[in-house]
Amino acid sequence: MEYTMEELVPIVARLAEKYTAFESTSVTYEKAEQLMEAVLYCIHEIGFSEEEAVILAERIPARQAYETGLECVKRKVKRALDLYNEILTEVIWHEDQNLYDIFAKDMPEFFRRYDVKFEPQNTIIMLDYPVSKDLSRYTGIDKIYEFLVCICQEHGLGRMPESDDSLT
């Protein structure tokens, strides 16, 4: 689903107002770029959601696409956190120190600092434990979720979740 700059700029301006707590609409160029990436990330997230896949066939207003996508991101954060909590105790006993560090130290930091509204595209942490799937095309919660799915599948942990790639 493609939108023009004229359709996206008002969404970014509204987000900038929220970012500055409605005290200003003036933000740095870098912050405006980050907010535009946030809007595009959320709109793109609609494509990963089965229930919202129908929306892709329609031409909905950009603001509605952003808000729908933002809700998709929030749901994915919850799914990832649930999956993380489900397999945490099994991973803690894993012999690989690197995997242990990611689950015991990095993942809690990710979930604490992840900014769904203003920077959902930021992965925040390094996922330097090798998995069989190339995760380089993912960012933000998409990368975290796919990493967790890979860990479950490769180590036989918890219930076997599906990758979001199966939804698109």
Side-chain angles (χ1 to χ4, degrees), residues 81-122:
L81 185 57
D82 289 348
L83 183 55
Y84 167 76
N85 286 326
E86 181 179 325
I87 63 175
L88 176 62
T89 54
E90 295 177 65
V91 171
I92 292 297
W93 297 108
H94 198 276
E95 293 179 10
D96 188 291
Q97 184 64 42
N98 192 14
L99 185 61
Y100 172 85
D101 288 345
I102 289 172
F103 272 78
K105 300 173 185 173
D106 298 341
M107 285 285 179
E109 186 68 15
F110 171 83
F111 286 111
R112 211 175 5 266
R113 293 181 48 218
Y114 187 63
D115 189 344
V116 175
K117 187 182 290 183
F118 300 118
E119 199 173 16
Q121 69 276 14
N122 190 348

Side-chain angles (χ1 to χ4, degrees), residues 26-88:
S26 178
V27 293
T28 65
Y29 176 80
E30 291 79 15
K31 183 55 69 175
E33 188 174 53
Q34 173 191 315
L35 296 175
M36 178 62 82
E37 288 175 16
V39 169
L40 293 172
Y41 184 90
C42 289
I43 291 172
H44 179 260
E45 197 65 24
I46 295 172
F48 289 126
S49 172
E50 282 182 14
E51 57 270 13
E52 276 82 16
V54 175
I55 291 174
L56 292 174
E58 301 175 17
R59 172 82 172 145
I60 62 170
R63 184 177 178 101
Q64 182 183 351
Y66 165 70
E67 290 170 358
T68 301
L70 180 61
E71 290 306 312
C72 291
V73 172
K74 290 176 182 178
R75 283 195 301 272
K76 187 175 280 181
V77 170
K78 178 163 181 6
R79 283 179 29 221
L81 185 57
D82 289 348
L83 183 55
Y84 167 76
N85 286 326
E86 181 179 325
I87 63 175
L88 176 62

